[in-house]
Amino acid sequence: MPTSLPLVLRRCHACASPRFRTDGKFRVNAHHKLVDVWLLVLCTGCGDTAKLTILERTGVRSVRPALLNRLHGNDPALAAELLRDPLVLRRNRIALDWDDAWRLDTGGPVRPDDEAIDVSVRFEARIPVRPVRLIAEGCGLPRAEVERLIERGALVSAVRLTGRLSGDFAFTLKR
């Protein structure tokens, strides 16, 4: 589950730092019947402000009043939703750094004495995470050991466990 907003990977024009942070503040600017909306991000190096385009020259009447209220209220949950929107990421040519922005909730200790453990992983938000890292943290194993278990066939899943996943999956750990 997410614990904070991710860092935005984008080069700063002032200091060339590659990361920006956001606290969920929006800038809403109306031009007669048109509205522009930006999500404000701050450079982690120099503190310079940059804007990520959310809406551009959009008719005010086409924006739902509830959404407009959330934008004016600087809703951090809305900022999190918009940062996960692939359209916003593509429009602004940015990527997200989710390191240290999520935590694993196992719901209880793993019983390593069982012959096989069936585990279902549910994502509260679409956060791209390496399954090997999740399994290592959840089972209290080093990542190298998890990779050896996969190679040996003692850790199996219907999805590929190498690379990154952001959707629910299940795996079986055989002892």
Side-chain angles (χ1 to χ4, degrees), residues 97-160:
D97 179 6
W98 283 99
D99 289 348
D100 303 323
W102 60 273
R103 73 177 170 86
L104 180 64
D105 184 14
T106 59
V110 177
R111 297 184 317 266
D113 303 335
D114 293 346
E115 290 242 351
I117 302 170
D118 291 322
V119 178
S120 176
V121 178
R122 270 189 2 259
F123 285 81
E124 191 172 294
R126 295 187 60 79
I127 300 173
V129 178
R130 295 186 187 281
V132 170
R133 181 177 174 191
L134 273 179
I135 295 167
E137 283 187 31
C139 296
L141 300 170
R143 278 192 276 179
E145 177 64 22
V146 172
E147 290 171 356
R148 280 191 289 272
L149 290 170
I150 292 171
E151 287 175 15
R152 251 190 15 228
L155 181 62
V156 294
S157 177
V159 299
R160 189 172 58 101

Side-chain angles (χ1 to χ4, degrees), residues 8-162:
V8 175
L9 299 177
R10 174 182 177 174
R11 181 118 359 243
C12 177
H13 65 72
C15 72
S17 172
R19 298 184 193 306
F20 284 79
R21 63 181 166 76
T22 183
D23 54 2
K25 301 243 186 265
F26 293 94
R27 168 131 191 248
V28 181
N29 194 13
H31 309 280
H32 301 288
K33 296 179 182 179
L34 301 176
V35 67
D36 291 322
V37 177
W38 299 279
L39 177 63
L40 301 178
V41 293
L42 301 169
C43 176
T44 57
C46 67
D48 197 32
T49 302
K51 300 183 290 189
L52 302 180
T53 302
I54 304 300
L55 297 175
E56 190 171 37
R57 301 286 182 198
T58 305
V60 174
R61 291 180 186 239
S62 67
V63 180
R64 294 185 329 268
L67 175 61
L68 209 47
N69 287 339
R70 289 178 74 189
L71 290 167
H72 282 296
N74 292 319
D75 185 358
L78 178 61
E81 288 174 35
L82 292 171
L83 280 175
R84 287 191 294 265
D85 185 354
L87 212 60
V88 171
L89 297 176
R90 204 171 22 254
R91 175 187 295 147
N92 292 284
R93 296 185 188 109
I94 60 170
L96 300 177
D97 179 6
W98 283 99
D99 289 348
D100 303 323
W102 60 273
R103 73 177 170 86
L104 180 64
D105 184 14
T106 59
V110 177
R111 297 184 317 266
D113 303 335
D114 293 346
E115 290 242 351
I117 302 170
D118 291 322
V119 178
S120 176
V121 178
R122 270 189 2 259
F123 285 81
E124 191 172 294
R126 295 187 60 79
I127 300 173
V129 178
R130 295 186 187 281
V132 170
R133 181 177 174 191
L134 273 179
I135 295 167
E137 283 187 31
C139 296
L141 300 170
R143 278 192 276 179
E145 177 64 22
V146 172
E147 290 171 356
R148 280 191 289 272
L149 290 170
I150 292 171
E151 287 175 15
R152 251 190 15 228
L155 181 62
V156 294
S157 177
V159 299
R160 189 172 58 101
L161 296 175
T162 57

